[in-house]
Amino acid sequence: MKKTLLAKALILASVGGSPFALADQAQEIQSLKDRLEKLEAKKESTEGSSWADRVTISGLIEVEASYEDPDSGSSSSDLVVATAELGIEAAVTEEISTNVVLLHEEDDTDLEVDVATISYQAGESVFSFVVGQEYVPFGVYETALVNDTLALEIGETRETAFIVNYEAGLFAGSLYVFNGDQDEDGDDTLQNFGASVGVNSESFSLGADYISNLADSDGLQENDYGYATGEDSVAGASFHAVANIGSIVLMTEYLTALDELANDGNDSEPNAFQIEAAIELGAITYAVSYQETDEAVFLELPEERVSLGLSTKILGGLGLGVQLQHDEDYSIADGGSGDDTDSIVIQLAAEF
């Protein structure tokens, strides 16, 4: 508006008061107004496009059909939306980005904010910083199969944390701190922490992780383990390796508590081990896995699990996964059922 008035004043001053000049001037003013309006509209359009270019929206839907046949009791089957996930990532500036992930898992997780973080990295710096609700870098839980690993059931930990990441060449590491829900002596303070170190290349990766309080993992945090009455926190550790040999991928992980979990944990020291091999032949990936746990009966996890599976892409990107699974429960003497359970799960997955 100010530019239009200024242009009008300048033109009037230059042509004087001639009626013909004023008529021509009115036409020129209108033309100038039209041009300014078009420029403003173009500017707004460009700004809108620029902001849209900074936002990435992604999503995942997994639908699973399953059948279970235990040694004792009745067989069961189900059809569920195992995962419905929507992610929105935005670059606020060249150095600052935000990430929000919404998640729903039928019969497990109501719709909730799964991840909400602000990240900062200055240019090509080897350091980056993340603050917000995030899965802390403890364990990797790699698998080419449909079902999550048993190590994940023990160790996966989502917290509101401050994370410092380092990455230079083959080396990477992280340090983080968080409050958590299971606090030693019942103190509601920012006292829990962890660290992760690793070596990564295109052909292999090795890593070791530490967390000061394993009871804050998603699988364990519903219990108090006597912490409110003075028990010490129980730390956890994870060791993992992945090797890529042509079309073959080998992966292994061992995750364990470093001391006994009191009270609700039955003085157990839960741990899980996994070894898996996957091979890609044409458009199909085949995988076989052996897993075992120890002192994890209170988490209702099997003592041993053998899995076979395959996955492929169909119908222009729709993924199909099939997994056959044999579980052996802990013996009755160890607090389990002593049953074996055979199961099959078929998964359709669409990702965008």
Side-chain angles (χ1 to χ4, degrees), residues 84 102-114 158:
L102 305 179
L103 176 68
H104 167 73
E105 297 170 313
E106 187 174 343
D107 300 330
D108 189 14
T109 306
D110 293 332
L111 181 62
E112 66 176 19
V113 176
D114 187 46
R158 184 188 68 177

Side-chain angles (χ1 to χ4, degrees), residues 34-348:
D34 293 342
R35 288 175 59 194
L36 288 172
E37 287 176 0
K38 288 179 181 180
L39 288 172
E40 291 295 333
K42 184 177 180 180
K43 179 181 177 184
E44 291 176 3
S45 175
T46 303
E47 289 177 348
S49 175
S50 176
W51 173 249
D53 290 342
R54 296 188 223 162
V55 177
T56 301
I57 297 177
S58 60
L60 171 66
I61 296 178
E62 295 174 338
V63 180
E64 295 179 358
S66 61
Y67 173 81
E68 290 188 355
D69 185 18
D71 280 348
S72 61
S74 303
S75 61
S76 63
S77 59
D78 205 355
L79 179 66
V80 299
V81 177
T83 305
E85 184 178 280
L86 180 66
I88 304 172
E89 186 172 359
V92 180
T93 68
E94 291 184 358
E95 299 177 340
I96 301 172
S97 63
T98 62
N99 186 34
V100 176
V101 178
L102 305 179
L103 176 68
H104 167 73
E105 297 170 313
E106 187 174 343
D107 300 330
D108 189 14
T109 306
D110 293 332
L111 181 62
E112 66 176 19
V113 176
D114 187 46
V115 172
T117 61
I118 300 172
S119 302
Y120 173 81
Q121 183 173 16
E124 299 298 323
S125 173
V126 297
F127 290 98
S128 63
F129 306 88
V130 179
V131 62
Q133 184 169 279
E134 175 67 289
Y135 290 89
V136 300
F138 178 71
V140 293
Y141 319 119
E142 292 278 357
T143 182
L145 295 162
V146 174
N147 287 340
D148 293 329
T149 67
L150 297 177
L152 178 145
E153 301 293 344
I154 296 176
E156 184 180 60
T157 305
R158 184 188 68 177
E159 295 289 346
T160 299
F162 175 65
I163 306 171
V164 179
N165 297 309
Y166 171 87
E167 185 173 356
L170 300 179
F171 299 97
S174 300
L175 294 172
Y176 55 93
V177 61
F178 62 95
N179 184 340
D181 299 308
Q182 301 296 319
D183 295 312
E184 186 175 332
D185 296 327
D187 294 334
D188 189 17
T189 59
L190 200 68
Q191 61 179 301
N192 300 306
F193 60 92
S196 174
V197 294
V199 179
N200 306 290
S201 73
E202 292 183 358
S203 59
F204 73 92
S205 65
L206 298 170
D209 307 329
Y210 172 87
I211 191 168
S212 67
N213 193 357
L214 183 62
D216 266 308
S217 75
D218 295 352
L220 276 69
Q221 66 180 344
E222 294 181 359
N223 301 308
D224 61 35
Y225 304 107
Y227 290 164
T229 58
E231 293 288 343
D232 293 333
S233 296
V234 174
S238 170
F239 306 92
H240 37 84
V242 178
N244 296 280
I245 308 169
S247 60
I248 300 174
V249 179
L250 303 175
M251 57 198 83
T252 186
E253 182 165 16
Y254 176 70
L255 186 147
T256 184
L258 297 178
D259 203 348
E260 296 178 349
L261 291 164
N263 294 357
D264 294 341
N266 301 318
D267 294 327
S268 299
E269 194 172 317
N271 61 77
F273 169 76
Q274 170 215 11
I275 184 168
E276 180 174 322
I279 181 169
E280 184 177 350
L281 297 176
I284 302 177
T285 298
Y286 301 89
V288 57
S289 172
Y290 172 77
Q291 301 178 71
E292 65 180 24
T293 68
D294 190 26
E295 299 188 43
V297 65
F298 74 103
L299 296 172
E300 300 181 353
L301 296 178
E303 187 172 25
E304 294 185 22
R305 171 174 290 174
V306 178
S307 305
L308 298 171
L310 62 85
S311 59
T312 187
K313 295 291 185 181
I314 60 174
L315 299 177
L318 185 67
L320 172 66
V322 179
Q323 179 172 333
L324 300 173
Q325 186 169 286
H326 176 77
D327 285 353
E328 294 185 10
D329 198 11
Y330 287 86
S331 67
I332 295 176
D334 289 334
S337 67
D339 284 347
D340 293 351
T341 301
D342 294 314
S343 61
I344 181 172
V345 58
I346 302 172
Q347 180 192 83
L348 285 176

